[in-house]
Amino acid sequence: MRCRARTGLERRAPRGGGRRSGRDGRQAETHHGHECCHEESHPATPDSANSVDHRTLSGLGGLPRTQGLHRPSGPCHLSGTEGVRAQAPDWRTTPRFRHLTARDTAPWATLAQLLLPSGLVALLRNTNPAGAVPKLLIEPDSRLWRVPWAALSVEPDDPEGYMLDRAVLAMLPSLSLADSAATGGDERATGAINNRAFAYLAGVNAEGLDLERNALDAAFGTEVVHARTAAELLTVLGPDGAGFSVGAASVHGNDSPGLAHALRLDRRTQLSAARMLTLRFPRTLLINACLSAELDERRGTDPLGIPTVALCRGAETVIGGIFPLPDGRAKNPRYSHPTARILAILYRLLATGVPPSTALRSAQRQYRAEVGPVPPRLWAGLVSITTTFEDPHRT
């Protein structure tokens, strides 16, 4: 892993064994899971902070289960039922789900100590979340790609002690993509930056999509184009499509590896990473689907997936889901539609010119300020993947 901040601190995580075995390269079959899988919120009391070993990294980072991995248990922190924007029926049974659902920040502090240089931790601890914050560009080893970096805690006794609070975060699959962006490859859009946006909202919770649709209309006005069908979306993304600065797709996703990584556009249409190689994307692309930020973790493979392909086909920043994104109503209305509510704030910030990584941080922090203390599962699922890390805006 490479962590790059203004201090120049850098640390690389070890490569090697322990990577999750991927599926074969075939596109996953479509089944009745097009509807949101419903999940009961399960509480968690994470592993002790003294257990600093592969079990901690596995449970929190979403790595493969190891034999004897302790499953946290404890009193319920959230009441309600939520769907997710993915075909993920087993999600709620995983240690990762349970850790993300718990409010205890101790294991996230342990993970921060394991993964971050001590100098960087000290820098973040001394950063005022309401003031100017550092930029942190993370290029993880494939084994660490699925770690929810925003949820790592550098000040566990402070409600604003998460990494999200202390830095503008972004991820990068490979430094070669940044080199390509610097040279201005011919696949990148040219001309003046406009404020036009397109959106394709389909298949997930209808109330959440209404929140997103209203927010897009309020933010971009007549400059937003709503693609009503999968065919219209593919036309917008085709070589003859009109130029846009922002694009958003709120659909279901899957975790198939490499070029089989796909989005479910409707009952009959899946858009795979392979097909995306023939399309063009706006500078800022929001793929508001579970697991849309996944990359191929199999041994001997390049970090391929939807984000990498989009970055190679015109996008400069891709915002996507690193784990199944919570969606739909909760028994306590306070916790309903967390992903849609964060996106509504994010659309408004993007329309005013806030750089994407900074806008995502601000939207997630504002959501937490509105609903009060909530566990990372409700707010840390969206991540920014970028080749152009602009200076923080109005921080």
Side-chain angles (χ1 to χ4, degrees), residues 83 171 246 282 325 340 364:
M171 299 172 70
V246 176
L325 302 174
Q364 291 169 322

Side-chain angles (χ1 to χ4, degrees), residues 42-58:
H42 286 275
T45 300
D47 289 311
S48 167
N50 293 327
S51 179
V52 182
D53 56 20
H54 180 72
R55 296 184 309 155
T56 303
L57 194 57
S58 296

